[in-house]
Amino acid sequence: MYVLGIDVGTSSIKVSVVEIATARIVVTVQYPEKERAIISPENGWAEQAPTQWWGDVQQAILKAHATQKYVPKEIKAIGIAYQMHGLVMINRKHEVIRNSIIWCDSRAVTIGDTAFQAMGENYCLTHLLNSPGNFTASKLAWVQQHEPHLYNQIYQILLPGDYIALQFTGQTTTTVSALSEGVFWDFQQCQLSAAVMHYFGFSADYIPTVQPVFGEHGTLLPDVAAQLQLQPGIPITYKAGDQPNNALSLNVSEPGEFAATAGTSGVIYGVTDQLVFDRQSRINSFAHVNYTNDAQRIGVLLCINGTGILNSWLRKISGASISYAEMNHLAAQVSFGSDGLLMLPFGNGAERILQNKTLQAHIANIGLNIHSSAHLYRAAQEGIAFAFKYGLNIMRENKLVPKVIRAGKANMFLSEVFADIFVQNTGVPLHLYNNDGSIGAAMGAAIGAGAYNSIQEAMQHQQPVAVMMPDKNKMELYSQIYNRWEALLNEKLSNPIQSL
């Protein structure tokens, strides 16, 4: 018997099938092979079509079936992970009203900042654990203000994973974890925030039925089952945002445990049992997958929007024939510090660690006679690792101090150069696992279906495939380069380039 895990990413969909009895990964596939684009009608905007996600999910599932490594009808439950904070609006016919305004969209920053002041900073931080900032509630308020003809059609609002579950089941549900990532949840009252709904004028009817993360979120419709060669009536037993899900996949669920990812965006995610918040909202706190009112588990998230997307951009402008593996190989030929070349990776919308400033990416100190494309590749990986260090310093200010960071050997962590730069700059040992979000979603489905009694039982056989340790000499060398990078960052923050 098997479980199916789906990870709805920004650039593609990943699907994994896992055998329940052994936790063996049977197959993992990605669709499409070429990265999906982000729709950007205006500078700082970022949208995607939910119907495209659903089409890609179906194709990914059929691609997994085509490997013939399992019998599709023996899949017993489905789990879904998804890109966080995206706004999906549906009408009474369950039709999508407009493209999803996704996580890295910056249009609602001013709305969120105004709400932060109007609702009261102390209330927002102690009850919501965040400023409304650029999260889902603020995105919905933007539609309310700027597209009232669409806002008036709303029946319910969904997160991306809620929408995919709806397509499977015809039912709408959400979770406390999802509501908290949208900044709709009051942690003090343990309920939907009446203050947020009142301030923005949102109807509570917009919110679907709240279910546990590990619980039933509907069962597979017969016509969808037939199309996807699955058994009708199998349940969706797990839904979680990509970062809480990534933490789950790495057995990060208890206080003091930390996970990291470096895909389109970069994240360090730490779990605590305290209602932690940053006074400047540079890091954010949400309900983790195992959060309950009685045993509060808070995931504290450091997010850098501009991470793998910088690597992707360099690949595009280099000519798409070059692979990421080749870029990593070339980067490894360049010495520490990229011969003075520095990069700020912040070119993918407003950055929370920079207090929601849209700084854009920058390349500094180009020497036309010495720098090559290989220098660009290494400088990008160094700049991304420096951004992680900058953000981790903020987490440490808030008494979140990792002793070990766990990450899947995927995306940028496939690069030994990047992984080493990450370790030498954070100063924290890194444990790498053969894991990804879709595998985490599959294991979440198994837990939700009752195949395991706990997260720890489900993940008990996990072993790291690599352990990387800080090196004192490398750390000292990188410290000097980081200081130059941070000086460049402070200079750009003091004198940002204004859009024409």
Side-chain angles (χ1 to χ4, degrees), residues 309-380:
I309 194 169
L310 173 59
N311 223 26
S312 172
W313 179 79
L314 284 172
R315 180 170 179 250
K316 288 175 187 174
I317 66 168
S318 299
S321 59
I322 192 168
S323 68
Y324 288 121
E326 290 169 325
M327 291 169 65
N328 295 335
H329 175 73
L330 290 169
Q333 312 309 307
V334 177
S335 60
F336 283 43
S338 306
D339 289 323
L341 195 65
L342 294 172
M343 279 199 201
L344 302 179
F346 308 114
N348 191 29
E351 291 284 0
R352 295 176 217 163
I353 61 170
L354 305 180
Q355 295 181 268
N356 272 335
K357 291 183 174 66
T358 303
L359 188 66
Q360 303 299 10
H362 296 267
I363 306 173
N365 306 331
I366 299 172
L368 300 178
N369 296 315
I370 61 171
H371 290 135
S372 65
S373 57
H375 287 86
L376 290 171
Y377 304 149
R378 184 176 187 106

Side-chain angles (χ1 to χ4, degrees), residues 1-4 17-20 65 69-77 229-231 234:
M1 294 185 183
Y2 306 99
V3 281
L4 174 71
V17 175
V18 174
E19 187 178 48
I20 295 174
H65 292 347
K69 293 182 177 181
Y70 59 91
V71 177
K73 291 292 177 70
E74 292 183 356
I75 290 171
K76 298 303 179 184
Q229 304 167 28
L230 297 170
Q231 191 71 28
I234 64 174

Side-chain angles (χ1 to χ4, degrees), residues 8 38 77 114 126 130 205 222 245 275 312 324 338 398 465 480 500:
V8 182
I38 293 174
T114 301
T126 57
N130 300 285
D205 293 339
N245 174 73
L275 297 182
S312 172
Y324 288 121
S338 306
N398 287 275
V465 295
Q480 299 171 30
L500 297 177

Side-chain angles (χ1 to χ4, degrees), residues 98-315:
R98 72 174 325 280
N99 280 344
S100 173
I101 302 175
I102 65 171
W103 56 277
C104 55
D105 186 285
S106 302
R107 76 187 72 181
V109 168
T110 301
I111 290 172
D113 289 346
T114 301
F116 191 38
Q117 298 303 318
M119 294 172 63
E121 293 185 11
N122 188 63
Y123 168 81
C124 290
L125 294 175
T126 57
H127 285 252
L128 309 176
L129 307 187
N130 300 285
S131 162
N134 197 35
F135 296 111
T136 317
S138 298
K139 298 179 195 306
L140 180 60
W142 184 91
V143 177
Q144 180 189 50
Q145 292 180 23
H146 295 275
E147 298 175 342
H149 61 294
L150 299 179
Y151 181 84
N152 290 334
Q153 297 177 40
I154 293 174
Y155 168 60
Q156 286 182 329
I157 60 168
L158 308 173
L159 275 295
D162 300 332
Y163 172 76
I164 296 302
L166 166 64
Q167 301 312 301
F168 278 116
T169 68
Q171 300 177 45
T172 57
T173 69
T174 193
T175 67
V176 169
S177 184
L179 291 173
S180 74
E181 74 177 73
V183 192
F184 290 107
W185 188 254
D186 186 324
F187 283 92
Q188 298 289 346
Q189 300 297 321
C190 299
Q191 64 183 27
L192 183 69
S193 171
V196 168
M197 303 304 280
H198 175 75
Y199 172 78
F200 286 119
F202 299 153
S203 169
D205 293 339
Y206 292 167
I207 306 299
T209 301
V210 180
Q211 292 285 90
V213 168
F214 302 100
E216 190 169 303
H217 298 277
T219 56
L220 200 59
L221 294 167
D223 58 334
V224 176
Q227 184 177 347
L228 297 177
Q229 304 167 28
L230 297 170
Q231 191 71 28
I234 64 174
I236 308 292
T237 56
Y238 171 82
K239 278 193 305 187
D242 51 8
Q243 299 309 325
N245 174 73
N246 178 67
L248 168 75
S249 75
L250 296 164
N251 197 17
V252 170
S253 59
E254 295 302 321
E257 297 175 338
F258 285 77
T261 57
T264 302
S265 63
V267 165
I268 297 177
Y269 185 99
V271 177
T272 178
D273 55 4
Q274 304 297 310
L275 297 182
V276 169
F277 54 84
D278 178 58
R279 281 284 170 191
Q280 300 174 64
S281 290
R282 296 167 298 173
I283 56 177
N284 302 105
S285 301
F286 308 115
H288 192 36
V289 293
N290 56 341
Y291 171 94
T292 66
N293 293 342
D294 297 326
Q296 295 184 334
R297 294 292 181 267
I298 304 299
V300 183
L301 185 151
L302 153 72
C303 181
I304 304 159
N305 289 359
T307 303
I309 194 169
L310 173 59
N311 223 26
S312 172
W313 179 79
L314 284 172
R315 180 170 179 250

Side-chain angles (χ1 to χ4, degrees), residues 444-485:
I447 296 167
Y452 302 104
N453 294 318
S454 67
I455 295 172
Q456 290 73 23
E457 181 185 342
M459 305 300 177
Q460 63 182 322
H461 300 300
Q462 276 195 343
Q463 294 295 326
V465 295
V467 173
M468 305 185 73
M469 301 297 292
D471 176 277
K472 183 179 178 181
N473 293 330
K474 288 182 179 181
M475 287 177 64
E476 289 178 356
L477 180 58
Y478 269 120
S479 179
Q480 299 171 30
I481 303 167
Y482 173 81
N483 289 340
R484 294 197 291 272
W485 180 90

